[in-house]
Amino acid sequence: MSRFEIKQQGVAGTLESSDVQILIDQNPDQGIELELTSSVEKQFGKQIRKVIGETLENLGVSQAKLVVKDQGALDCTIKARLIAAVHRASGQTGSIDWEEIEKWNV
């Protein structure tokens, strides 16, 4: 899969129960910066951060600032919302490599 460069702000998701809203923006030369707010952070904060980190790594994103507002979303929902936000922020909404994404599920 190609590496994604964050060129603009991208948002995906809602603040509804069992969903997550992810805002991603540029963070030049600062690495990954994550601000997480979650209704289940005490129980699942570590896992949420892991899913976000792995997904960003799979997408080749190494410079980004994220604001994540979780309302108890499942891992698959977090991953899907993050993929959508990255595609929007990179301006590559017309070409999602679903076969490559499926390989992550091994």
Side-chain angles (χ1 to χ4, degrees), residues 1-48:
M1 176 167 274
S2 62
R3 300 181 65 81
F4 289 87
E5 179 185 344
I6 305 303
K7 299 177 181 175
Q8 61 194 10
Q9 192 175 84
V11 180
T14 71
L15 297 175
E16 298 295 322
S17 181
S18 300
D19 201 356
V20 61
Q21 184 179 67
I22 298 178
L23 183 144
I24 188 167
D25 206 351
Q26 295 177 328
N27 200 28
D29 303 320
Q30 299 295 314
I32 300 296
E33 192 175 324
L34 173 60
E35 178 185 323
L36 173 63
T37 306
S38 175
S39 61
V40 293
E41 187 165 5
K42 287 186 180 185
Q43 298 93 339
F44 300 108
K46 186 176 178 181
Q47 177 64 20
I48 294 167

Side-chain angles (χ1 to χ4, degrees), residues 2-105:
S2 62
R3 300 181 65 81
F4 289 87
E5 179 185 344
I6 305 303
K7 299 177 181 175
Q8 61 194 10
Q9 192 175 84
V11 180
T14 71
L15 297 175
E16 298 295 322
S17 181
S18 300
D19 201 356
V20 61
Q21 184 179 67
I22 298 178
L23 183 144
I24 188 167
D25 206 351
Q26 295 177 328
N27 200 28
D29 303 320
Q30 299 295 314
I32 300 296
E33 192 175 324
L34 173 60
E35 178 185 323
L36 173 63
T37 306
S38 175
S39 61
V40 293
E41 187 165 5
K42 287 186 180 185
Q43 298 93 339
F44 300 108
K46 186 176 178 181
Q47 177 64 20
I48 294 167
R49 285 180 173 81
K50 179 181 174 194
V51 169
I52 290 169
E54 288 174 351
T55 304
L56 290 172
E57 184 178 327
N58 285 332
L59 292 168
V61 175
S62 59
Q63 308 288 324
K65 181 173 183 171
L66 295 100
V67 177
V68 178
K69 296 179 181 177
D70 174 58
Q71 299 296 323
L74 297 174
D75 289 359
C76 58
T77 303
I78 296 168
K79 196 179 295 188
R81 296 300 194 194
L82 185 52
I83 290 168
V86 167
H87 276 81
R88 291 172 181 166
S90 66
Q92 297 184 37
T93 56
S95 59
I96 298 175
D97 188 348
W98 295 111
E99 289 179 5
E100 179 65 28
I101 292 170
E102 181 60 29
K103 291 178 187 175
W104 304 350
N105 294 322

